[in-house]
Amino acid sequence: MRKIIHIDCDCFYAAVEMRDDPSLREVPIAVGGQSGRGVVTTCNYRARAFGVRSAMPGGEARRLCPELVMVPLDMPRYREVSRQVMAIFRELTDLVEPLSLDEAFLDVSEVETFQGSATLMARHIRQQVWERIGITVSAGVAPNKFLAKIASDWNKPDGLFVITPEQVDDFVKVLPVEKLSGVGPVTAGKLNDRGLQTCGDLREAGEAELVRLFGKQGLRLWHMAHGRDDRPVVVTRVAKSVSVERTFSRDLPGKEACQQVMTSLVDDLHRRLERKGSHKPLHKLFIKVRYSDFSTHTLERVREPGPDAMPVAGEFLPLLDELVTDEHRPVRLLGVGVRFREDSAPITQLRLFE
Ligand code: TTP
Ligand code: MG
């Protein structure tokens, strides 16, 4: 059974604008659409109360809400905030699949922090994004992607909704077909015309009937109507490096203590590499030391070709030896990491994707 979190920022572009200009916080705002033929890309929840929506012509939005404040788009700023938000997700797991600037799926099935509780992880992420970035996000937790996405929308804005494996069946049975991914107004209309309103109705209609009506999509509907969705979380970003670091509750007294910690630190690195499922060839090893006065030093070396795919503690010790020149200087933090050999094919794909 997988644990999937879907996160979607609340009125994303508008939230960034409100964060950066307090005068916009208490008024209805729409982003984009200020020029004659421009459309609203998004609007805050105050504006939504007037019926303003994404993709609405600016003129119509102003008619619905005369005091609407129109804010021009600032894509570079939204991209930067998006990057920061995604970075918070990646502190939890590398299995992050961004769907757009403001939403992503996370597969946290293997994450052991937070006692393995995806609910606690989602709560943590929501809090971190609010405290560190200053916008709210809504999160959904479920055993698969399609349910997690429905869940994140359930208590929007600033909400969290969890569908546990035990709840899936009851939840799906009464779920309106419009909520299913891929079911737009046309498909929904066709289903409703046949008296099919909920996933429970789809189940009763039967697999053969759904396939007869909708072909391959019918089969997908049939599976979703049972709460099933096997699509994996696909990681499109190519990691250039992986590292782990540890801050000690009490400073290590010096180099020798660092050497002793190395084995368990490299074990952590192995786990992280395995979790990424990355078997790309390693190019470099690096090491990081932060002393008690917070000065931070790093050293990196090309890795000598050897028999092991995974780096071993013995390979990091010479770097430690070289980096730590004062044997008895207290160490606050120690980190180890690897850099992958540049691999041109996936990077090209990433550019296309972007
Ligand atoms: P959404 O997540 O669809 O919308 P939202 O974040 O503004 O509002 P919420 O999630 O709270 O319902 O889209 C994310 C951003 O993408 C949105 O802030 C603006 C942009 N966008 C467009 O440019 N065109 C569109 O048609 C939509 C829907 C969104
Ligand atoms: Mg959003």
Side-chain angles (χ1 to χ4, degrees):
M1 191 60 80
R2 292 179 300 156
K3 297 177 207 166
I4 309 295
I5 302 176
H6 179 259
I7 302 178
D8 188 302
C9 304
D10 302 319
C11 61
F12 182 52
Y13 300 176
V16 174
E17 296 298 341
M18 290 192 289
R19 178 194 73 166
D20 296 344
D21 180 351
S23 77
L24 299 176
R25 287 180 199 163
E26 309 298 326
V27 296
I29 73 166
V31 182
Q34 59 277 79
S35 67
R37 281 182 296 174
V39 297
V40 170
T41 59
T42 193
C43 56
N44 64 0
Y45 279 78
R46 262 172 206 273
R48 288 181 202 196
F50 290 85
V52 179
R53 293 286 179 271
S54 289
M56 186 178 272
E60 188 183 346
R62 271 187 297 268
R63 200 169 45 71
L64 287 169
C65 178
E67 72 249 60
L68 189 67
V69 176
M70 300 292 232
V71 183
L73 277 167
D74 183 355
M75 290 311 297
R77 199 148 43 94
Y78 312 144
R79 266 190 224 107
E80 174 60 16
V81 175
S82 170
R83 204 188 52 72
Q84 293 164 352
V85 171
M86 300 288 169
I88 289 181
F89 303 165
R90 291 193 179 99
E91 289 174 6
L92 186 68
T93 177
D94 297 305
L95 296 179
V96 175
E97 177 181 351
L99 298 180
S100 67
L101 284 185
D102 91 322
E103 63 176 312
F105 285 114
L106 284 63
D107 184 334
V108 297
S109 311
E110 307 295 325
V111 176
E112 286 167 1
T113 46
F114 298 96
Q115 303 133 45
S117 160
T119 303
L120 294 181
M121 295 179 212
R123 207 173 279 164
H124 172 77
I125 285 180
R126 285 183 8 84
Q127 188 182 349
Q128 289 290 305
V129 173
W130 172 246
E131 285 173 7
R132 289 158 61 182
I133 300 179
I135 63 171
T136 63
V137 303
S138 295
V141 177
N144 60 47
K145 280 175 141 181
F146 106 83
L147 287 171
K149 182 151 172 145
I150 291 171
S152 73
D153 204 43
W154 211 255
N155 282 337
K156 218 175 207 322
D158 200 14
L160 169 64
F161 189 72
V162 180
I163 306 170
T164 65
E166 300 74 43
Q167 292 164 343
V168 167
D169 203 57
D170 287 343
F171 181 85
V172 170
K173 234 184 282 176
V174 295
L175 191 68
V177 293
E178 294 78 29
K179 293 278 184 188
L180 298 177
S181 69
V183 176
V186 175
T187 309
K190 274 199 209 170
L191 289 166
N192 293 346
D193 287 348
R194 289 176 171 78
L196 307 174
Q197 316 282 347
T198 66
C199 286
D201 298 338
L202 294 184
R203 290 193 208 176
E204 274 171 34
E207 181 178 353
E209 176 67 359
L210 291 175
V211 171
R212 191 182 67 76
L213 289 172
F214 298 103
K216 226 174 154 178
Q217 198 205 353
L219 192 61
R220 248 175 62 72
L221 289 176
W222 172 251
H223 285 302
M224 286 194 285
H226 291 79
R228 297 191 293 254
D229 173 16
D230 291 335
R231 289 172 303 157
V233 168
V234 180
V235 181
T236 38
R237 170 181 178 258
V238 183
K240 295 199 181 90
S241 68
V242 168
S243 62
V244 293
E245 52 185 53
R246 204 179 287 170
T247 303
F248 304 101
S249 48
R250 192 176 301 167
D251 292 347
L252 297 180
K255 189 191 276 185
E256 198 182 322
C258 291
Q259 289 163 345
Q260 283 161 6
V261 169
M262 198 51 90
T263 309
S264 90
L265 199 57
V266 173
D267 281 346
D268 286 352
L269 181 65
H270 287 185
R271 269 192 289 278
R272 219 172 135 75
L273 280 164
E274 269 156 18
R275 207 163 80 205
K276 288 189 75 72
S278 172
H279 303 289
K280 281 178 290 181
L282 304 183
H283 182 39
K284 286 176 170 176
L285 305 180
F286 61 92
I287 186 161
K288 171 173 166 185
V289 172
R290 179 170 297 147
Y291 294 105
S292 51
D293 62 0
F294 280 86
S295 64
T296 306
H297 305 254
T298 61
L299 180 68
E300 107 172 29
R301 272 289 134 75
V302 172
R303 188 187 188 211
E304 301 292 333
D308 298 305
M310 285 283 183
V312 295
E315 293 175 81
F316 286 98
L317 290 173
L319 277 78
L320 179 74
D321 202 46
E322 197 171 328
L323 185 62
V324 178
T325 43
D326 179 347
E327 303 249 340
H328 301 294
R329 193 167 167 194
V331 170
R332 183 185 156 75
L333 172 151
L334 192 60
V336 293
V338 298
R339 262 180 236 296
F340 300 112
R341 197 174 298 286
E342 285 296 337
D343 192 337
S344 62
I347 289 171
T348 314
Q349 270 177 10
L350 182 68
R351 291 219 181 92
L352 283 172
F353 173 77
E354 280 174 340

